[in-house]
């Protein structure tokens, strides 16, 4: 019997896969536990429509990430820190502080977990910070660290 999986089933397949299983396994395990539905014409058509919708949503997310990356590319965020001698900062600038400064100055919500700092920012001046907006899109913006 052909079954469309509604959820991931270990050793059988992932959500959305059409698999061929024995009638007993389908009737006694997959269908009662709502892990799959019978692969008839209506259910196959619904699956096709869901896949098209998911592809469209993924494409829209990708395009919006590209647009956002272009938007923040020329932006500059200024972070004020206390400093010591020799142009050094007490501690370092964290992604949390950068995200808070971006929200205050630019009105842009940036996820601190998606920011990628090659090394901690421990000196005053300009630093380019990259942020992962989408698995295929990385944006860059400038962080200017000044003394308080």
């Amino acid at each position: 019997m052909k079954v469309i999986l509604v959820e991931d089933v270990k050793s059988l397949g992932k959500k959305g896969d059409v698999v061929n299983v024995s009638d007993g396994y389908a009737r006694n395990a997959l269908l009662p536990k709502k892990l799959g539905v019978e692969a008839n014409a209506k259910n196959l058509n619904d699956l096709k429509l869901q896949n098209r919708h998911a592809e469209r949503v993924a494409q829209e997310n990708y395009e919006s990430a590209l647009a956002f990356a272009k938007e923040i590319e020329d932006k500059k965020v200024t972070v004020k820190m206390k400093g010591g001698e020799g142009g050094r900062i007490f501690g370092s600038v964290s992604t949390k502080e950068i995200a808070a400064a971006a929200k205050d100055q630019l009105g842009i919500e940036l996820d601190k977990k998606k920011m990628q700092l090659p090394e901690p920012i421990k000196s005053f001046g300009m630093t380019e910070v990259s942020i992962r907006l989408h698995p295929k899109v990385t944006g860059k913006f400038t962080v200017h660290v000044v003394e308080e």
Side-chain angles (χ1 to χ4, degrees):
M1 170 185 271
K2 288 197 179 227
V3 175
I4 300 171
L5 296 178
V6 177
E7 294 182 25
D8 292 353
V9 179
K10 193 174 184 179
S11 76
L12 193 58
K14 298 211 178 269
K15 179 180 177 181
D17 289 350
V18 178
V19 293
N20 199 12
V21 295
S22 67
D23 292 351
Y25 183 57
R27 266 195 320 267
N28 298 324
L30 296 178
L31 300 178
K33 292 180 183 175
K34 307 246 189 276
L35 297 175
V37 293
E38 187 179 348
N40 56 23
K42 180 198 175 297
N43 290 338
L44 287 171
N45 191 36
D46 289 348
L47 176 67
K48 199 181 297 182
L49 291 173
Q50 286 174 353
N51 288 343
R52 276 197 212 134
H53 178 69
E55 288 173 7
R56 193 175 320 119
V57 168
Q59 183 65 27
E60 288 172 3
N61 288 342
Y62 175 70
E63 289 170 0
S64 67
L66 278 175
F68 189 66
K70 268 192 179 151
E71 180 185 329
I72 67 169
E73 190 174 301
D74 56 341
K75 302 284 185 188
K76 183 168 70 170
V77 176
T78 304
V79 179
K80 294 181 181 178
M81 297 291 292
K82 289 186 179 179
E85 295 177 15
R88 303 285 291 170
I89 296 175
F90 291 129
S92 65
V93 179
S94 69
T95 56
K96 181 179 179 181
E97 292 164 334
I98 295 171
K103 186 173 182 181
D104 290 342
Q105 297 167 18
L106 307 174
I108 297 174
E109 293 266 341
L110 298 176
D111 189 359
K112 66 180 183 177
K113 295 175 186 168
K114 294 184 178 181
M115 286 186 210
Q116 299 169 332
L117 294 173
E119 66 226 16
I121 303 172
K122 294 187 175 196
S123 60
F124 296 112
M126 303 280 229
T127 306
E128 195 165 273
V129 176
S130 61
I131 183 167
R132 195 111 174 121
L133 301 170
H134 186 270
K136 298 177 183 175
V137 180
T138 302
K140 293 185 184 221
F141 63 97
T142 305
V143 175
H144 186 207
V145 183
V146 295
E147 193 165 0
E148 224 175 45

